[in-house]
Amino acid sequence: EETVHEEINKRFEELIATLPSDRGFIAPTLFNYQGFWYPPISVFKGVLLMQNHFKARPTDIFLTSSLKSGTTWLKAIMFSTMNRFKFDFASHPLLTTGPHDCIPHLAAYITDHDVAAMPPPRLFASHSAYPLLPKSVRESSDCKIVYICRNPKDVFVSLYFFAMKLRPPMLPPISMEEAFDLFCRGVSEFGPYFEHVLSYWKASLESPQKILLLKYEEMRNDTVKHVKQLAEFLGKPFSAEEEREGVIEEIVKLCSFEKLTSLEVNKTGKVAFVPEILIGNDNFFRKGQVGDSTNHLTPEMIERLDKITEEKLKGTGFTF
Ligand code: A3P
């Protein structure tokens, strides 16, 4: 164990010195590692640990996403769907535990937890783009990956307000215009955003049994339908009896923005992805609406991002 950490520390120091860097929204500096932007905190070390030492099991399930695409919501939905035979809704763990503490973020978790000791099915979250997931996960024909994405304008606005809350106060402020320019140039935590989405889109076309791509807007539009689809994909379809009893609706209600934001744990509780950084759970809930970006972006900004979106998606068959 010790030597693995020492080796990673050494590689990390060597690597950081050679990587291109730019400004972050939340972190002062981002480093470009294998085409994607990472903050230089221990999460990045964890990414190396995860890439090089994580051994996938056929029963593993990964929730993957870029930032601000609906990770918190999907964590709640996946956790309650997978564990619906274990807990009843009146005393459900989600009533007292934040969604981020229900499904660990692998790159952060792996640095000080023995993931090999976790009972199956193991549920993990990751913000890594598809090519940066561990080889054993990509090569396993059995483990499942669920990716959630969201339209880039809402992602940007959500990320900007999130960063405003989490950016350390000693850092120089970053204006929405500056942040927007970085985002358009592909520089944002775990980005470039389009390449992130398209990496999973391509992988899902190649392996539809293994990778399910969900869209925030579509889930907002018909959550019941997507929870059903998700349960089937994960090999835990709802029975006719469960459907009659309204189990899907119970899950949707429990995981709704209104319900989760009404809970004390999500108002005052905190999550520690890495031990040294505590983040208030309330930061992960803002408006939960589709299209809020039109309230914050100028027509010029919208035009610029729409044009980039069109160019990036051209010929891919993907639309937001
Ligand atoms: P907004 O900032 O647009 O409100 P992530 O979980 O990936 O960080 O994404 C956060 C976004 O998802 C925020 O978007 C947040 O409000 C929204 N969100 C959080 N919980 C939600 C829920 N239960 N239902 C719908 N949206 C939710």
Side-chain angles (χ1 to χ4, degrees):
E1 242 342 77
E2 267 309 302
T3 50
V4 167
H5 281 270
E6 278 165 22
E7 179 199 317
I8 291 291
N9 273 332
K10 197 164 155 270
R11 274 201 65 195
F12 180 75
E13 300 302 333
E14 285 168 8
L15 247 178
I16 279 281
T18 66
L19 299 178
S21 62
D22 211 321
R23 291 183 73 183
F25 283 44
I26 308 165
T29 313
L30 299 179
F31 290 92
N32 194 294
Y33 176 60
Q34 299 183 350
F36 291 88
W37 293 100
Y38 284 94
I41 50 169
S42 42
V43 167
F44 183 39
K45 274 188 211 172
V47 168
L48 300 184
L49 254 180
M50 170 182 100
Q51 275 191 326
N52 297 304
H53 297 277
F54 181 77
K55 288 188 187 61
R57 292 190 192 142
T59 47
D60 285 343
I61 297 170
F62 275 79
L63 188 178
T64 54
S65 60
S66 195
L67 293 183
K68 314 325 289 172
S69 298
T71 319
T72 314
W73 185 26
L74 189 57
K75 274 191 177 182
I77 289 177
M78 274 174 67
F79 178 81
S80 47
T81 300
M82 288 302 293
N83 291 301
R84 65 187 193 269
F85 304 112
K86 252 195 240 166
F87 308 119
D88 70 63
F89 291 102
S91 58
H92 201 278
L94 270 169
L95 297 172
T96 48
T97 313
H100 288 286
D101 280 318
C102 292
I103 299 186
H105 190 84
L106 180 59
Y109 197 73
I110 197 170
T111 48
D112 50 9
H113 292 86
D114 181 11
V115 293
M118 287 168 72
R122 299 186 299 182
L123 267 68
F124 294 113
S126 176
H127 286 312
S128 279
Y130 188 71
L132 280 88
L133 287 180
K135 198 160 174 252
S136 66
V137 174
R138 284 179 284 123
E139 285 178 354
S140 159
S141 49
D142 298 308
C143 65
K144 303 270 185 192
I145 299 171
V146 183
Y147 183 72
I148 184 162
C149 62
R150 186 180 189 189
N151 92 70
K153 286 173 281 189
D154 286 353
V155 166
F156 168 74
V157 166
S158 184
L159 182 59
Y160 183 72
F161 286 115
F162 184 68
M164 286 306 92
K165 286 192 240 159
L166 296 196
R167 195 173 161 86
M170 60 278 210
L171 291 182
I174 182 162
S175 69
M176 187 178 264
E177 287 70 24
E178 283 173 283
F180 186 74
D181 191 58
L182 285 170
F183 190 80
C184 286
R185 291 197 285 113
V187 184
S188 62
E189 277 81 355
F190 305 100
Y193 182 64
F194 294 102
E195 280 72 7
H196 200 284
V197 175
L198 289 173
S199 75
Y200 282 95
W201 166 244
K202 284 183 194 133
S204 76
L205 291 180
E206 281 161 22
S207 322
Q209 285 1 297
K210 180 187 167 106
I211 302 166
L212 174 69
L213 192 145
L214 297 171
K215 297 178 185 173
Y216 182 88
E217 294 76 14
E218 289 182 358
M219 282 189 55
R220 270 313 234 163
N221 192 34
D222 190 343
T223 315
V224 168
K225 179 178 141 190
H226 289 91
V227 172
K228 257 174 93 163
Q229 184 192 9
L230 178 72
E232 269 163 36
F233 175 77
L234 296 176
K236 293 251 185 300
F238 292 96
S239 67
E241 194 188 342
E242 284 185 292
E243 290 209 23
R244 263 198 316 278
E245 285 171 355
V247 176
I248 308 174
E249 285 77 6
E250 287 275 11
I251 290 176
V252 171
K253 207 169 82 192
L254 175 66
C255 301
S256 69
F257 186 86
E258 293 68 28
K259 180 69 191 177
L260 292 182
T261 50
S262 76
L263 301 170
E264 195 55 36
V265 64
N266 295 322
K267 289 182 188 166
T268 56
K270 289 182 165 61
V271 52
F273 293 103
V274 287
E276 65 274 21
I277 303 171
L278 279 172
I279 302 178
N281 289 334
D282 60 338
N283 291 303
F284 294 93
F285 304 92
R286 194 181 60 96
K287 280 193 178 169
Q289 284 170 8
V290 172
D292 182 50
S293 53
T294 53
N295 299 318
H296 301 282
L297 301 181
T298 64
E300 291 74 29
M301 287 165 132
I302 291 176
E303 200 189 315
R304 180 171 173 201
L305 198 44
D306 281 347
K307 200 153 162 262
I308 294 172
T309 307
E310 201 188 304
E311 282 163 12
K312 294 281 184 189
L313 301 188
K314 206 182 207 159
T316 64
F318 180 81
T319 50
F320 282 105

